[in-house]
Amino acid sequence: MIHIVPKPTDTPDDNSTGAVMRELERADARYGVLKLDAVDPLDSGLENELIWVCGIRQDGHQFETLNVLSLHNRVINTPESIVACASKVMTTALLIANGVRTPETAYMQSEEQAREFLRRHGKVVYKPLYGYDGNGIRLVTEPGELGPGPWYLQEFVKNDRDFRVFVLGGEAVGAIARVSDTLMHNIHQGGIGMPVDIDEEMRATAEAAAAAIGIDYCGVDLLRDREGYTVLEVNGTPNWHCMAAPIPALLARYLIEREREMHA
C-alpha cells in the first residue's frame, strides 16, 4: 500500500494531494492517508512500505518523524532531499559542488561581507533562508536595506520571467514560464504561468539540478541569462500549476512502480 502524507497547504480549489489520489484510484492502487502528527515513529508499525510526502510543515516533529520512518521504509521524497531543498544554502552548496550553474550567491553573518557583496553587484536579491512561494524576497540596492542578518544574497539577474521545470525520476517531464512585472514570478505572488516546451539546455540544467540534490521528483526554478539557464532553487514539495503535462498521472504511475519494485 502507498501511504500518503498530504500537503498541509492544500485547499479545495488547489488540492495537489487529491489530484494524485484520484489517479491512484483510477489505477486501482491501494493507498491510505498518513497523518504525521498522529504517528509515533518509534512504534509506527510501518515497515517495508512506500510513503509519499506530498508536503509537510517546516517543523521539527514532522522532519524527525520522517527521518525515523525512512530507516525501514521507502520515503519519496527522502527526508534528506526535502531538508536540502528547504534550505536555500544547502541547495546552493549542492548545485555548486556538482557544477550546476546558479547565480552568484553568498550566505554571511558579517555585515561587512554583506555590504561588500552588495557593492560588487550593485543590486542583490535577499531571500529568507527557509522561505517559500516567493514570500519575503526583496531587491536590495543600498546597505540600509539589508535589514538584520544573517543574509542569503544572490546577484540580481534582470528578467521578466522564470521557468519551473518538473523533474520526475531524473527526467524533465513538464515546464511552465512564469511571467510578471515584479521581482517575484511565483504564481502565489501574482505571476502568470503558461506551459512551455522543454528545450535541450533547459532539460539538461533541470535534470542536473535534481541529480545534485539526489531527489525523486522536484520543481527546478530557472532564469535565463546571457550564458543560458541558471538555477534559482529546487523545490522538494513542488506545485505544478499551469503545466500541460499530466503531472498527477505521472506521479501516481511513479509511486505505483516504486511500490511494485519494493515487493517484487
Side-chain angles (χ1 to χ4, degrees):
M1 186 167 83
I2 298 169
H3 301 265
I4 298 176
V5 179
K7 181 171 284 191
T9 55
D10 279 339
T11 66
D13 296 329
D14 182 14
N15 190 340
S16 298
T17 315
V20 177
M21 286 177 172
R22 287 191 292 273
E23 295 298 332
L24 290 171
E25 289 167 6
R26 289 190 181 99
D28 292 324
R30 293 177 61 241
Y31 72 86
V33 172
L34 180 63
K35 297 181 179 179
L36 292 181
D37 289 345
V39 172
D40 174 0
L42 302 177
D43 186 25
S44 69
L46 294 174
E47 187 168 343
N48 198 29
E49 299 281 357
L50 188 139
I51 300 170
W52 172 49
V53 185
C54 188
I56 58 171
R57 296 194 311 273
Q58 289 186 353
D59 69 36
H61 176 266
Q62 296 210 345
F63 278 130
E64 292 299 333
T65 297
L66 278 179
N67 269 328
V68 175
L69 290 176
S70 70
L71 293 175
H72 302 291
N73 300 278
R74 172 79 156 94
V75 180
I76 297 175
N77 284 314
T78 66
E80 294 85 358
S81 63
I82 292 174
V83 170
C85 289
S87 165
K88 291 182 174 62
V89 172
M90 181 56 74
T91 299
T92 298
L94 288 169
L95 294 173
I96 292 171
N98 288 275
V100 181
R101 289 191 66 235
T102 189
E104 186 175 349
T105 304
Y107 178 61
M108 68 281 282
Q109 179 68 48
S110 163
E111 184 173 351
E112 180 180 345
Q113 289 178 324
R115 286 172 175 264
E116 171 57 25
F117 189 82
L118 174 59
R119 185 200 64 76
R120 185 151 46 87
H121 289 284
K123 294 180 180 180
V124 300
V125 179
Y126 167 85
K127 297 182 179 181
L129 195 58
Y130 303 110
Y132 60 93
D133 290 341
N135 297 313
I137 295 175
R138 52 189 172 85
L139 187 65
V140 176
T141 60
E142 300 290 341
E145 298 169 349
L146 282 167
W151 297 273
Y152 176 90
L153 303 174
Q154 271 187 345
E155 65 171 307
F156 172 68
V157 179
K158 185 175 175 60
N159 64 87
D160 67 349
R161 70 195 60 206
D162 68 5
F163 302 89
R164 161 67 61 90
V165 183
F166 199 96
V167 181
L168 174 64
E171 179 183 355
V173 296
I176 59 170
R178 302 184 295 191
V179 181
S180 75
D181 55 5
T182 66
L183 179 65
M184 287 82 69
H185 306 308
N186 306 65
I187 291 172
H188 285 98
Q189 298 293 336
I192 298 173
M194 62 195 75
V196 294
D197 293 332
I198 304 173
D199 65 45
E200 286 309 307
E201 184 186 358
M202 181 187 292
R203 178 182 301 280
T205 304
E207 291 176 357
I213 302 297
I215 195 164
D216 283 274
Y217 75 96
C218 59
V220 181
D221 294 343
L222 307 174
L223 281 180
R224 191 163 182 83
D225 61 16
R226 287 171 295 189
E227 297 178 38
Y229 292 104
T230 184
V231 179
L232 288 176
E233 54 188 82
V234 181
N235 193 313
T237 54
N239 290 314
W240 48 84
H241 300 116
C242 306
M243 289 196 180
I247 301 300
L250 294 173
L251 254 175
R253 184 191 311 160
Y254 184 80
L255 296 172
I256 292 168
E257 290 173 351
R258 300 293 80 74
E259 200 263 345
R260 284 175 179 165
E261 289 172 358
M262 291 176 60
H263 300 107

